[in-house]
Amino acid sequence: MSYRIKPGKPLTAEVVRIAENQYARAIEVLRDQPDGPYEAIHEARKRFKRLRGLFRLVRDPAPDFYASENARVRDIAATLSAVRDATALVEALDHLLALQPECQVALGAIRTRLAERRDRIATAEADLDGKIAAAIAGCEAGVKALARLRLPKARDKAIAVVARAAAKNYGRAVAALQTAIASGNAADWHDLRKRIKYHTMHLQLLSPAWPGEMALRASVADLAGEALGDDHDLAGLEALITRDPDAVGAAAEIATLRAVMAARSVDLHEQVRGIVKNLLKDDRKLVETRIAALWRDAGP
């Protein structure tokens, strides 16, 4: 239960326990690098996302703590993002190639250029060891900062905190879905992705209140998050085309890529709408009431 809040336990102690565990795992993988530095960075960034999801759950009663520690984790992750972001674009081409083998020539040439670009970024990245060391130091400082966290001690107030925060993000996810569908803008679909990711984490954190149902909903939300992640990578490709088309390919190759990307994005949006159809159908207040009741019943 490393990423689960135990019902009936003091909320401050539970949040600190979970955060310490996530920091410890990030530090361990960054220090040991069992599969190399870039895979270590990728794994550590997952821990940083989990930390931000955890801190968002207790944002309202600890706004100063949230502001400083969310910024700390965000900034640590940002210093380690360059090669991972470039790698994501190569992986996006791999997905497109698998789906559109008839475009092998154009997409294959673009994939080669993007892989070369990734390798150049990796080679040129200054002082990666220093950045990793700084990230570890940032994690260690984050662990010490947990001593400042103070959350409600009364059980009913603690339940209200987590129920309200989880429902608040849920409501924003519902609104983000409606906005993304109406606008079709990449930024709006990306906002939905963030809300879905936080919802997944909150379901995982609160799953002891209703293990089977919460786990199922988390799995559904994770599927939507993965599809939205693929769509976000396509938006990253489009941004690179706009910013530096020579890094991508010739005009004819880019035209082929854009056509494939557009069709894939439409398909991903349809997938997401189908996946979240039942996940995001409830009223926010109903979700808050349900979580509070389940959490109350789960405790001793």
Side-chain angles (χ1 to χ4, degrees):
M1 296 181 68
S2 59
Y3 199 68
R4 306 286 188 273
I5 297 175
K6 298 175 183 176
K9 298 290 185 180
L11 184 57
T12 300
E14 283 297 281
V15 172
V16 169
R17 174 184 64 80
I18 294 167
E20 286 178 341
N21 180 269
Q22 295 303 310
Y23 275 127
R25 293 188 178 191
I27 291 169
E28 180 182 16
V29 74
L30 288 172
R31 279 181 174 160
D32 297 346
Q33 301 177 20
D35 299 310
Y38 294 113
E39 185 60 28
I41 288 170
H42 182 48
E43 289 301 314
R45 279 163 58 89
K46 293 180 184 178
R47 303 299 171 183
F48 300 149
K49 290 176 183 177
R50 285 187 162 199
L51 280 162
R52 295 184 71 186
L54 172 66
F55 294 155
R56 185 168 290 269
L57 197 61
V58 296
R59 178 178 185 171
D60 287 349
D64 292 340
F65 173 87
Y66 172 81
S68 63
E69 298 315 300
N70 181 64
R72 183 197 306 277
V73 177
R74 180 197 64 212
D75 293 346
I76 293 171
T79 64
L80 302 173
S81 66
V83 175
R84 180 58 206 165
D85 291 346
T87 301
L89 300 188
V90 178
E91 293 172 351
L93 258 295
D94 288 335
H95 292 156
L96 294 177
L97 278 163
L99 293 167
Q100 299 287 345
E102 66 274 17
C103 299
Q104 175 75 37
V105 175
L107 298 184
I110 292 171
R111 195 237 183 244
T112 297
R113 293 188 190 93
L114 292 178
E116 291 171 348
R117 174 179 176 271
R118 174 203 58 199
D119 294 343
R120 288 195 301 273
I121 291 172
T123 300
E125 187 161 30
D127 192 20
L128 182 60
D129 289 343
K131 290 179 180 178
I132 290 175
I136 291 172
C139 290
E140 292 171 340
V143 172
K144 292 179 181 178
L146 293 171
R148 297 189 289 107
L149 181 61
R150 296 291 184 274
L151 298 172
K153 294 181 180 180
R155 186 163 179 264
D156 284 348
K157 290 184 178 180
I159 290 171
V161 165
V162 296
R164 188 181 305 117
K168 182 178 181 180
N169 180 75
Y170 178 88
R172 288 180 173 177
V174 172
L177 174 64
Q178 296 169 349
T179 299
I181 291 172
S183 74
N185 292 336
D188 291 330
W189 285 101
H190 180 51
D191 184 55
L192 174 62
R193 180 196 179 206
K194 291 189 291 185
R195 298 300 166 193
I196 290 289
K197 285 290 188 182
Y198 286 134
H199 184 53
T200 304
M201 295 173 202
H202 293 168
L203 287 168
Q204 293 169 341
L205 287 163
L206 301 179
S207 63
W210 196 8
E213 180 68 14
M214 292 285 200
L216 177 60
R217 292 177 68 88
S219 297
V220 172
D222 193 48
L223 284 175
E226 289 299 317
L228 288 164
D230 289 347
D231 188 58
H232 181 59
D233 290 341
L234 297 181
L237 275 171
E238 180 58 44
L240 180 61
I241 292 169
T242 302
R243 185 173 68 251
D244 187 8
D246 291 341
V248 180
E253 293 169 336
I254 289 175
T256 298
L257 174 61
R258 277 180 159 152
V260 172
M261 286 166 54
R264 177 59 175 159
S265 188
V266 168
D267 182 55
L268 287 168
H269 294 169
E270 285 300 313
Q271 285 185 36
V272 170
R273 292 176 69 171
I275 291 169
V276 303
K277 178 174 62 176
N278 293 319
L279 183 72
L280 299 181
K281 70 177 183 179
D282 293 324
D283 176 76
R284 168 188 162 180
K285 291 303 295 182
L286 173 63
V287 171
E288 181 176 346
T289 301
R290 181 187 298 151
I291 291 173
L294 288 168
W295 202 249
R296 196 173 291 110
D297 289 345

